[in-house]
Amino acid sequence: MTLSKHVPGDTGVGIPWYHALRCPRCHGALRNGSELRCDACRVAYPIDHGIPRFVPPDNYAEGFGYQWNRHRLTQLDSHSGMPISRDRLLGASGWTAGELRGKTVLECGSGAGRFTEVLCETGALVTSFDISSAVHANAASNGRFPDLRLVQASIYEMPFPEESFDFLFCFGVIQHTPDVERTFKTLFRYLRPGGRFCIDVYAALIAYPHPRQLLRPFTRSIPPARLYGMVESAVPRLLPISLALGAVPKAGPCLARLVPVATHRHLGLKDVRTMRNWSVLDTFDWLAPRYERPQTRRRLARWTKDLALHEVSIQRRRGLHVIRGVK
Ligand SMILES: C[S@@+](CC[C@H](N)C(=O)[O-])C[C@H]1O[C@@H](n2cnc3c(N)ncnc32)[C@H](O)[C@@H]1O
């Protein structure tokens, strides 16, 4: 796949790299202009501030769009000054920057782009998309990378040629989709045979007993701005309690989980303001999603067998299963 340069946020007419996109309905070529048009389907896809959009603006991920545009920078390594996202991506995937350089990477559900930044810094040719308006936060932060292509689209209707990417990356996403098995299996259609993948998902046994599971059925229907205000006012009170409980010898981790607030004790965040900021973001991220469907290791193993994937490893990392291997 040959990539040409583009400037995310470019408001000029059309998309210079439109030839790399396909109509998500019929997989045919698109015609470039002030919109992208599929003549066969008679559909026009808008270009919003330089980002082609292939989904309706109001979809089930509205809360994510809200959260990532409010917290555009919070989790970016270039903002925190700590290699948190870089260590997580390279540590979990086992990929090196050298292996990624010059390769095509498909990043699915990119949010504000904390991992987009890491992937782009390796010199990879990154195609990144999200179903929500988070793509605009990503463009504002990572638009400086000339080899980044950003699209607003859904995993279920991707506007790319099948079997065209060297690497497939998807963190923090599949549990938040309506049909996790279908999501998982759809992702692989876009990875070339021999291409490498790394996907993570909430692990079922860890995630279910958490008190947020009791709250979310109520909180997920609260409008995002209202829920965000509630979380923002609760965190300064709840975070110190959770941290104090977490410091109790032995029982600490279990006790801290009784308080429905996200702490990031393991990350060593440098000051109270930063800790609060991360906590507001992740507590909202727990309570707002329409869907949250953690998965068992056994189910994941079955799906990788169904797809005849190679060199598969499924590792448990901090409440997540990380699935990686080769197609
Ligand atoms: C918890 S966030 C993770 C974002 C990013 N990967 C990260 O780790 O920071 C989950 C993201 O998945 C996106 N998402 C959910 N369903 C999706 C779908 N069907 N297609 C594309 N993105 C989706 C949401 O909009 C949201 O930005």
Side-chain angles (χ1 to χ4, degrees):
M1 186 191 224
T2 317
L3 294 184
S4 60
K5 308 270 181 198
H6 91 110
V7 183
D10 181 3
T11 49
V13 172
I15 295 290
W17 41 276
Y18 75 96
H19 59 274
L21 296 170
R22 296 287 179 275
C23 173
R25 300 182 184 192
C26 70
H27 304 287
L30 294 169
R31 192 152 50 82
N32 203 18
S34 56
E35 305 167 310
L36 297 177
R37 291 192 157 271
C38 173
D39 291 331
C41 297
R42 293 169 178 255
V43 177
Y45 301 103
I47 300 172
D48 186 356
H49 292 82
I51 302 181
R53 178 159 53 72
F54 294 91
V55 283
D58 49 339
N59 56 60
Y60 69 81
E62 183 198 356
F64 281 118
Y66 183 87
Q67 107 183 21
W68 293 127
N69 280 289
R70 289 237 21 178
H71 286 267
R72 173 166 82 79
L73 295 172
T74 303
Q75 295 185 329
L76 265 66
D77 288 355
S78 57
H79 177 74
S80 69
M82 301 168 77
I84 295 171
S85 302
R86 183 181 172 85
D87 289 353
R88 182 165 150 206
L89 189 159
L90 298 180
S93 66
W95 303 338
T96 65
E99 287 167 340
L100 288 160
R101 189 166 307 123
K103 297 292 195 309
T104 52
V105 180
L106 178 62
E107 183 194 15
C108 309
S110 45
R114 63 184 293 194
F115 297 115
T116 312
E117 178 178 65
V118 177
L119 291 166
C120 288
E121 279 172 346
T122 67
L125 310 169
V126 181
T127 299
S128 201
F129 71 95
D130 197 285
I131 195 174
S132 76
S133 62
V135 287
H136 294 287
N138 195 343
S141 299
N142 291 317
R144 67 186 188 280
F145 292 107
D147 287 325
L148 170 62
R149 293 169 170 183
L150 271 170
V151 167
Q152 187 173 354
S154 170
I155 288 167
Y156 298 126
E157 286 187 303
M158 285 190 236
F160 312 117
E162 296 197 356
E163 303 209 322
S164 61
F165 291 92
D166 300 316
F167 286 81
L168 168 68
F169 175 81
C170 184
F171 269 16
V173 179
I174 70 172
Q175 64 269 4
H176 294 307
T177 60
D179 180 342
V180 185
E181 178 172 0
R182 183 172 156 229
T183 304
F184 185 85
K185 292 183 173 174
T186 303
L187 292 174
F188 288 90
R189 301 215 319 246
Y190 299 83
L191 184 64
R192 67 165 173 78
R196 294 163 71 182
F197 62 90
C198 187
I199 298 167
D200 78 8
V201 60
Y202 287 172
L205 289 178
I206 289 268
Y208 274 125
H210 200 280
R212 73 177 195 254
Q213 302 290 346
L214 300 175
L215 294 174
R216 211 179 52 81
F218 306 101
T219 54
R220 71 182 174 187
S221 49
I222 300 175
R226 183 144 173 256
L227 178 62
Y228 187 88
M230 292 160 73
V231 170
E232 206 177 20
S233 71
V235 160
R237 279 171 279 135
L238 295 182
L239 186 58
I241 299 172
S242 183
L243 289 171
L245 289 172
V248 173
K250 289 194 181 158
C254 291
L255 292 172
R257 286 163 62 87
L258 297 173
V259 187
V261 70
T263 62
H264 300 84
R265 222 173 283 105
H266 63 290
L267 294 181
L269 298 173
K270 47 188 181 227
D271 53 58
V272 173
R273 198 163 155 265
T274 308
M275 283 165 74
R276 272 193 193 163
N277 212 15
W278 280 66
S279 179
V280 169
L281 167 58
D282 272 343
T283 304
F284 181 86
D285 183 282
W286 283 356
L287 300 176
R290 170 93 54 93
Y291 305 107
E292 184 181 299
R293 302 169 197 266
Q295 300 299 318
T296 62
R297 186 194 160 84
R298 181 183 291 194
R299 208 174 299 145
L300 296 165
R302 177 160 51 78
W303 298 345
T304 61
K305 280 205 183 85
D306 292 347
L307 292 167
L309 300 170
H310 308 289
E311 299 174 37
V312 173
S313 105
I314 305 177
Q315 281 181 356
R316 187 74 165 270
R317 286 187 166 233
R318 302 199 66 84
L320 300 166
H321 290 305
V322 178
I323 312 108
R324 63 189 204 202
V326 175
K327 178 170 170 182

